[in-house]
Amino acid sequence: MSFLNYHHLRYFRAIAHEGTLTGAAHNLGVSQSAISAQLKQLEESLGQALFLREKKSLVLTEAGRIALQYAETIFKSGEELVSVLESRPNAKRQVLRVGCVSTLSRNFQLSCLQPFIGRADVELVLRSGNLSELLSQLKSHTLDIVLSNLPVRRDVDSKLSSHLLEQQPVSLVGKKLGRGKKFSFPGDLATTPLLLPSLDSHLRAAFDLVLERHRIHPVIAAEVDDMAMLRLLAREGGGLTLVPPVVVAGELKRKQLVEHHRFTDIHENFYAISPGRRFPNVLAEALLAKAKEASSA
């Protein structure tokens, strides 16, 4: 049975924070050879390589990232011990790092994160960006899970998996037309200003096929790559927008907007993308399980 040397763990933590043996040795006031030997002994004790050498710095492996999380917990527990004995209690908290594609519905994001909001034992770290950026962070272990409206492409080198959480219908949504007038599909598409997703959106591609099928040349008032902005433009009366109703759920409930036409052949899919890790974040696993449970209910 291996025994953990906390002195080794302290050295490892310093290397992880500094990114180099030289920096860690200087910070701890020891020689570089001494700290290198301590790291080697820790890796042998754990049976895992904790760092990869990239150029002039050391980068944590997956096992290293897990070890650092535990090291931080261990040293934080020591700080909490002192705090408790000094009558300054501090509750332990788990961290869940979630990446959200910037164009993703905020309402969908909120529904996924709802079980963790307000929990005293959970700290949420949310990152927004394009899918490529977030997947890079997922692979480097700085994110635990990514929420997206596109699946990840599986290839030989990828260990990422896409989990379909929900499939939402898509509608044309906007303010009431007034004077009892009703939107007539597809004829009114030729004269009604439209607020559409940008050309690189799969929703836009599917909608353009509908227009082509009906030989309609639309009046495009705006092309936007952000669902939240489409919602705001629709609220301002800029035209009818093409969105899943979940994006404008609050406006529909308050009757600020109405659903003028629902498509049966256009859908928005929502995914959770997770890495194939031997040491998954338990909160990320819980998020995935709860989201799947809600979508199948």
Side-chain angles (χ1 to χ4, degrees), residues 39-57:
L39 173 62
K40 184 178 180 181
Q41 291 178 40
L42 178 61
E43 289 181 322
E44 290 176 350
S45 175
L46 295 176
Q48 302 282 346
L50 302 178
F51 292 99
L52 294 174
R53 187 175 295 278
E54 291 188 2
K55 296 182 180 180
K56 295 184 179 181
S57 62

Side-chain angles (χ1 to χ4, degrees), residues 66-278:
I66 299 299
L68 180 59
Q69 290 177 355
Y70 277 97
E72 297 291 5
T73 300
I74 289 168
F75 286 106
K76 185 169 178 155
S77 294
E79 294 171 1
E80 289 175 357
L81 172 61
V82 175
S83 297
V84 169
L85 294 179
E86 293 179 352
S87 301
R88 293 186 289 105
N90 185 21
K92 291 183 179 179
R93 307 184 80 192
Q94 294 176 284
V95 179
L96 175 61
R97 300 172 177 87
V98 182
C100 301
V101 173
S102 56
T103 58
L104 194 64
S105 163
R106 303 297 190 270
N107 288 341
F108 173 73
Q109 294 178 38
L110 187 61
S111 67
C112 286
L113 299 173
Q114 193 67 53
F116 307 97
I117 296 174
R119 280 180 49 174
D121 62 334
V122 174
E123 177 184 347
L124 282 174
V125 177
L126 305 181
R127 296 285 182 264
S128 180
N130 63 47
L131 184 57
S132 178
E133 294 169 343
L134 296 177
L135 293 183
S136 177
Q137 294 179 55
L138 193 62
K139 291 177 182 178
S140 66
H141 315 302
T142 55
L143 288 177
D144 300 308
I145 200 164
V146 168
L147 300 178
S148 171
N149 52 358
L150 289 175
V152 66
R153 293 179 59 182
R154 290 298 299 266
D155 55 45
V156 176
D157 298 323
S158 176
K159 294 183 179 180
L160 303 179
S161 298
S162 300
H163 310 270
L164 179 62
L165 300 180
E166 193 172 339
Q167 187 176 72
Q168 282 274 337
V170 174
S171 301
L172 285 171
V173 176
K175 287 184 170 293
K176 290 183 179 180
L177 299 181
R179 298 182 181 179
K181 183 180 179 182
K182 290 186 178 181
F183 179 80
S184 176
F185 178 87
D188 285 352
L189 284 174
T191 57
T192 303
L194 299 176
L195 309 166
L196 299 178
S198 57
L199 290 172
D200 57 354
S201 164
H202 69 283
L203 288 184
R204 176 63 181 277
F207 183 68
D208 284 349
L209 288 176
V210 172
L211 296 175
E212 185 177 331
R213 186 165 65 243
H214 292 286
R215 298 181 179 180
I216 290 174
H217 298 284
V219 179
I220 300 178
E223 293 181 347
V224 184
D225 64 359
D226 182 13
M227 287 288 181
M229 182 55 70
L230 283 174
R231 175 176 62 87
L232 292 175
L233 290 173
R235 281 173 50 180
E236 292 298 317
L240 301 189
T241 186
L242 182 74
V243 291
V246 66
V247 174
V248 291
E251 287 79 2
L252 291 175
K253 184 177 181 180
R254 294 187 295 271
K255 297 184 178 179
Q256 293 174 299
L257 299 174
V258 296
E259 191 176 11
H260 292 284
H261 179 77
R262 177 170 294 197
F263 293 92
T264 59
D265 52 351
I266 304 178
H267 296 87
E268 175 82 307
N269 294 331
F270 298 103
Y271 299 90
I273 301 173
S274 64
R277 294 178 184 163
R278 289 186 298 157

